[in-house]
Amino acid sequence: METGWKVHISDLIRHEPGMEIQADCVLLATGAVEKPIPIPGWTMPGVISIGAAQVMTNVYQVLPGKKVIVAGIDILSLSIARSMKLAGADLVGIYMLPHSPFSNYASPLLHLETLNEMTDFAPSKMIRLAGKLLKSKTGRKIAAQYYPPKGMRMWGIPIHLRHTILTINGNQEVNSATISKIDVNGNPIGEQKVIQADTVCIAGGLTPLYELAATVGCKFVTLEGLSGTVPLHNKVLQTTVPNLFVAGNITGIEGAKVAMAQGTLAGKSICKKLKIGNLKDADMEEAISFVEHSRKLSDIQFHPKVSEAREHIEDLWSKWAHFSNKDCRFL
């Protein structure tokens, strides 16, 4: 993209020269990308991302493997593991990611803080009851310390919060994984064990896909609750670059309902900016409220601090708008 706006589009199907589109406003809804987590053996055939497993299973109706191990415990890996099991795969178990800088030093204690927001929706009554224990720091320590050695089952799938994958094994393709018990801080302890599998799905989480916004000079902020770096934007999804708007996971990782509500809001913001449809401030406030309503009712929260992060980004926008002499509401 070039500010102004000129958008360059390639034509890979017809092998023809790319198109150039002139636009008064641009909406970026580039979504998110999976974070790769390197584990020894991860380059072998049979190792894929959890997102790839989702596409194979749900879109193309092809099982990624017959005997599957999932590395990484989050809302995405849990839901996709269930999809694979329903499709006929043998889900050996879901294990913790290795304790490393790539996984943000994943540990049972940190995961329990993230997962406590999800337990209210768990299908297992035992997990829902255990969720009440996770509301306090002391409760999370107790839960991490006394988590069942054989894991807890959800939809018949063992979830191993106190075991991690050390290596993925095989000659030409995956045939097993080596696991180890870990302490509450994620450090391997005790004996190692080899588990047979033909597929390992790595779930490293999602991060906003913001490269296009970076090419045109957007200001950015990095907030834990939004799962990474996002373009600085206001309530109506205007960025710091005039006539450039954002919606969906590029603004922070949330569920599909929130992304759809943001898409409606961004569309109205652009129409108001270009004086299309006679939109008023009341219409904008209604669209903003719908986004907030969708956020509160969302079944899936990818991060427990998302609301806190949203408030923080509004504060940062206000400060930027003040020092830049910009209209903070409907830029």
Side-chain angles (χ1 to χ4, degrees):
M1 296 193 304
E2 297 177 32
T3 52
W5 288 96
K6 184 187 289 185
V7 181
H8 300 270
I9 301 175
S10 63
D11 190 337
L12 299 179
I13 297 176
R14 298 180 181 177
H15 303 287
E16 295 176 354
M19 298 169 55
E20 289 184 2
I21 299 176
Q22 292 290 146
D24 294 315
C25 290
V26 170
L27 169 60
L28 288 180
T30 46
V33 65
E34 288 188 83
K35 292 185 287 187
I37 306 296
I39 300 173
W42 73 316
T43 59
M44 277 189 296
V47 183
I48 60 174
S49 71
I50 197 70
Q54 180 184 37
V55 172
M56 290 177 69
T57 305
N58 296 345
V59 178
Y60 296 107
Q61 299 179 12
V62 175
L63 276 180
K66 294 180 180 179
K67 204 173 184 66
V68 182
I69 290 173
V70 176
I73 305 172
D74 58 28
I75 190 66
L76 198 62
S77 65
L78 291 171
S79 62
I80 297 171
R82 186 185 185 220
S83 293
M84 287 189 284
K85 183 177 177 63
L86 289 172
D90 177 9
L91 265 295
V92 178
I94 306 176
Y95 294 85
M96 288 284 295
L97 289 168
H99 184 70
S100 74
F102 299 101
S103 65
N104 292 324
Y105 297 100
S107 72
L109 275 179
L110 289 176
H111 264 57
L112 287 174
E113 183 178 359
T114 303
L115 293 172
N116 86 80
E117 299 291 334
M118 307 176 195
T119 55
D120 292 339
F121 305 101
S124 164
K125 185 177 180 180
M126 183 178 178
I127 293 177
R128 289 198 299 272
L129 290 173
K132 300 183 184 301
L133 187 66
L134 306 182
K135 303 302 179 184
S136 69
K137 189 174 181 179
T138 301
R140 290 192 292 273
K141 285 184 177 179
I142 294 172
Q145 186 67 44
Y146 294 101
Y147 191 84
K150 294 185 178 180
M152 295 180 70
R153 288 182 176 269
M154 185 183 291
W155 304 304
I157 304 170
I159 302 172
H160 297 281
L161 194 71
R162 289 295 301 271
H163 287 82
T164 189
I165 294 182
L166 297 179
T167 63
I168 302 167
N169 313 316
N171 294 320
Q172 300 299 321
E173 59 185 6
V174 173
N175 59 32
S176 65
T178 302
I179 66 166
S180 171
K181 186 178 179 182
I182 54 176
D183 61 22
V184 295
N185 296 311
N187 301 305
I189 55 175
E191 293 183 4
Q192 299 178 6
K193 183 179 178 181
V194 176
I195 297 179
Q196 301 301 309
D198 58 27
T199 305
V200 175
C201 301
I202 300 178
L206 302 172
T207 189
L209 193 60
Y210 58 80
E211 284 80 356
L212 274 177
T215 65
V216 292
C218 277
K219 292 189 179 299
F220 289 88
V221 294
T222 302
L223 297 173
E224 180 188 355
L226 300 181
S227 302
T229 300
V230 302
L232 180 60
H233 58 278
N234 64 3
K235 274 194 172 184
V236 296
L237 304 174
Q238 162 76 59
T239 69
T240 56
V241 176
N243 294 358
L244 181 67
F245 295 78
V246 287
N249 280 345
I250 188 176
T251 73
I253 307 302
E254 296 192 75
K257 291 180 181 178
V258 175
M260 292 168 69
Q262 285 182 324
T264 300
L265 171 58
K268 289 185 176 182
S269 297
I270 291 171
C271 287
K272 190 173 190 302
K273 179 73 177 178
L274 299 179
K275 296 181 172 55
I276 298 172
N278 195 30
L279 287 164
K280 297 178 172 58
D281 286 359
D283 298 313
M284 301 305 301
E285 293 292 354
E286 182 182 0
I288 291 169
S289 296
F290 184 62
V291 172
E292 294 171 351
H293 178 71
S294 300
R295 183 169 291 125
K296 288 178 182 177
L297 295 183
S298 178
D299 293 338
I300 297 176
Q301 275 201 349
F302 284 85
H303 200 286
K305 296 181 180 178
V306 64
S307 295
E308 179 184 319
R310 289 294 176 194
E311 292 176 4
H312 190 184
I313 204 169
E314 287 174 24
D315 182 54
L316 291 172
W317 175 272
S318 297
K319 290 176 180 177
W320 175 83
H322 174 74
F323 288 112
S324 303
N325 295 317
K326 302 284 186 180
D327 178 2
C328 186
R329 291 201 309 154
F330 303 130
L331 190 63

